[in-house]
Amino acid sequence: MTGRIPKAPERSSPHGPVGEHRWPMAAAVVAAMVLTLLLPDDLRLAPRWVLPAVEGLLLLALIAGDPGRIDRRSTVLRTMSIALVGVLALSAVWSTVRLVDDILQGGKETGSATSLLQSGSTVWACTVLAFSMLYFELDCGGAAARAHHMPATPALAFPQQLNPEVASADWRPRFVDYLYLALTNATAFSPTDVMPLAPWAKITMGVQSLVSLLILGLVVARAVNVLA
């Protein structure tokens, strides 16, 4: 026993690209748009409809350029996907900073137990969706690239890659896998079943853990103070 993680074999489907359905990723973006609309004005980066409108237009462009299953490799589509993730991430980071500031300053958005729980849970959910999209888009070059080819050395090692015998030959991580990764990382504050191997993956998961710990820790502390 050497303790080394076995390298996953390179996988390409004999039947052509194995693209995943667009709708799970689209549903996550729509959920993030709705959560942005529900945020108090002081916690949003822009006026109520601006960011959801931008995100909606980018999503529609992606669906029009690659409908059904995600398997079309295009520089334009890749750029739009990165832009969409960037908007989601920027919005989540801004809301987190504003929430933390409001809690520390005893602002109106966190002055009561109801508003505190509503604002805190909404911002936390936004960060989970943003990081799930970040993992989804950056791992192995994005969904379209994964549909054509899975590298032998992944950036994020899922159980099916560490133990190829438990997965089918054409297995690829889907959006739900990245959503589960973001959710468990946000609640456990550490990797669970998915191991970050690449530096960017370690940094991203570390940042998400710290952001989630900051949000939950301050919300709990503020709640105790409000209810005391």
Side-chain angles (χ1 to χ4, degrees), residues 38-220:
L38 295 177
L39 281 172
D41 291 342
D42 289 345
L43 301 185
R44 276 188 273 103
L45 176 61
R48 184 176 299 274
W49 291 101
V50 173
L51 290 180
V54 173
E55 293 160 1
L57 289 174
L58 288 171
L59 178 61
L60 289 175
L62 288 172
I63 294 175
D66 189 16
R69 292 181 178 271
I70 308 174
D71 55 12
R72 181 185 175 190
R73 290 183 288 189
S74 163
T75 301
V76 174
L77 291 175
R78 176 70 170 161
T79 301
M80 288 193 294
S81 296
I82 294 293
L84 176 58
V85 173
V87 173
L88 291 170
L90 180 61
S91 175
V93 169
W94 177 265
S95 297
T96 300
V97 172
R98 295 298 302 154
L99 175 68
V100 171
D101 180 71
D102 197 87
I103 290 176
L104 295 178
Q105 299 297 328
K108 63 179 181 178
E109 305 301 344
T110 57
S112 69
T114 300
S115 61
L116 172 64
L117 292 176
Q118 288 178 344
S119 299
S121 60
T122 302
V123 171
W124 184 81
C126 286
T127 64
V128 170
L129 290 173
F131 276 96
S132 69
M133 287 294 298
L134 194 62
Y135 300 133
F136 174 77
E137 191 57 45
L138 295 184
D139 188 34
C140 302
R146 290 192 298 272
H148 291 263
H149 177 263
M150 285 295 293
T153 305
L156 293 165
F158 289 84
Q160 293 89 337
Q161 293 167 300
L162 298 177
N163 300 283
E165 65 274 9
V166 304
S168 61
D170 60 354
W171 183 87
R172 275 102 168 97
R174 307 292 182 176
F175 178 75
V176 66
D177 297 299
Y178 296 102
L179 180 60
Y180 178 76
L181 164 61
L183 179 62
T184 54
N185 193 51
T187 52
F189 313 123
S190 64
T192 52
D193 65 332
V194 182
M195 296 294 106
L197 302 183
W200 74 260
K202 295 180 180 181
I203 293 172
T204 304
M205 290 184 68
V207 169
Q208 187 196 4
S209 296
L210 291 175
V211 168
S212 182
L213 180 61
L214 180 65
I215 293 174
L216 297 180
L218 288 178
V219 166
V220 170

